Amino acid sequence: MPASELTMLLNNPQGLKDIVQYHTIPGTHMKKDFLFGRHYFINSTSGHTLRVYRSATGLHFNQATVVTANITCSNGVIHLINTVLDVPEGTIMDILGKHEYNISGFMNLVKKAHLDRNYANPTGLNRYTVFAPSNAAISAVSQATLDKLSQDYTYLRMLIEYHVHSGTMHASTLAKRHFVSTTLPAHNITVSTNGNGGILLNNMAHVLTNDIEAENGVVHIIDQVLIPVILAPI
């Protein structure tokens, strides 16, 4: 955590409390309790849900990896992790509507495509990774193209689905991939990194802001609209 963020947090008692409670789950959970290959959704003492899973790279809580597990104490157990967990900022739809992120244009397209209910459920089992184009990226698309997409909500759904991956994928995992699947069948997004370690999608869209934690997934803000091949003539 950057020193500036830590200073702000230490001066915000409620925010500090939220983070501490998000890092705490009721009961005693040892590493062996989490079976390899399975995903668990556990409520923290803050009321927000944590995603817990074991893989070949270890035990994970959201995007964090456990570096030391099973430190037992008189009133529970401690697992040391390699990063601070971000408290969810609401559902994916809540995040798309936050003014500070400037992605409301994409939110409006999601609503026009009648997909908003898919991304507004905070307690469902489905989790999503959303690559949300900035308002500037939406504005860069020609009005003629937007009009054609809006005239047929099936086309609009295809566009939205191409910006969504089924499952939660944080930047640390995304950067290691060559491609990610999307909820638009048979249409993947290619992934690469530039010399500065930044993430590039389809060799064109830069990830501007990553890992905005949601109750039902994670949002990454990108600087270009991704057009799937099936819509290329548009």
Side-chain angles (χ1 to χ4, degrees):
M1 176 180 287
S4 58
E5 290 186 21
L6 180 59
T7 299
M8 290 177 60
L9 188 60
L10 292 175
N11 291 317
N12 179 1
Q14 185 57 53
L16 185 60
K17 179 181 178 181
D18 289 342
I19 283 190
V20 170
Q21 289 184 327
Y22 189 53
H23 286 73
T24 308
I25 55 179
T28 301
H29 301 270
M30 309 299 286
K31 182 178 179 179
K32 65 179 178 60
D33 296 330
F34 301 108
L35 302 181
F36 186 89
R38 290 189 60 180
H39 287 240
Y40 302 82
F41 298 99
I42 302 176
N43 285 332
S44 69
T45 55
S46 70
H48 297 290
T49 302
L50 281 168
R51 182 173 61 102
V52 187
Y53 64 100
R54 280 182 67 184
S55 68
T57 55
L59 177 63
H60 306 272
F61 291 85
N62 289 355
Q63 80 277 23
T65 301
V66 172
V67 294
T68 304
N70 300 340
I71 303 172
T72 57
C73 48
S74 61
N75 57 345
V77 63
I78 297 172
H79 304 292
L80 298 184
I81 57 177
N82 65 348
T83 190
V84 176
L85 304 178
D86 293 321
V87 179
E89 300 182 30
T91 67
I92 287 169
M93 287 305 298
D94 291 332
I95 291 170
L96 295 183
K98 284 182 175 285
H99 294 298
E100 61 264 36
Y101 291 129
N102 293 312
I103 48 178
S104 57
F106 186 69
M107 177 190 69
N108 293 335
L109 294 180
V110 171
K111 289 181 176 180
K112 286 183 180 179
H114 308 298
L115 289 171
D116 46 310
R117 291 183 63 183
N118 289 23
Y119 312 126
N121 187 350
T123 59
L125 293 178
N126 293 326
R127 294 291 187 274
Y128 301 99
T129 300
V130 176
F131 303 101
S134 65
N135 287 343
I138 297 290
S139 297
V141 177
S142 71
Q143 190 59 49
T145 297
L146 290 176
D147 289 343
K148 288 180 182 179
L149 289 170
S150 299
Q151 287 169 7
D152 188 335
Y153 92 99
T154 301
Y155 291 158
L156 202 53
R157 288 175 73 101
M158 289 179 180
L159 180 73
I160 301 302
E161 290 170 348
Y162 189 56
H163 287 78
V164 181
H165 167 75
S166 182
T168 303
M169 188 175 295
H170 290 86
S172 58
T173 301
L174 183 64
K176 300 174 185 176
R177 304 289 291 269
H178 297 294
F179 69 88
V180 292
S181 60
T182 72
T183 52
L184 180 61
H187 285 73
N188 297 328
I189 296 172
T190 63
V191 183
S192 57
T193 55
N194 59 30
N196 298 320
I199 298 172
L200 196 63
L201 306 180
N202 286 354
N203 295 315
M204 57 175 281
H206 295 85
V207 175
L208 301 174
T209 304
N210 59 43
D211 294 350
I212 305 172
E213 199 71 32
E215 298 284 3
N216 53 344
V218 65
V219 176
H220 307 290
I221 301 175
I222 59 177
D223 68 351
Q224 299 272 351
V225 175
L226 305 175
I227 304 295
V229 173
I230 196 172
L231 293 179
I234 291 181

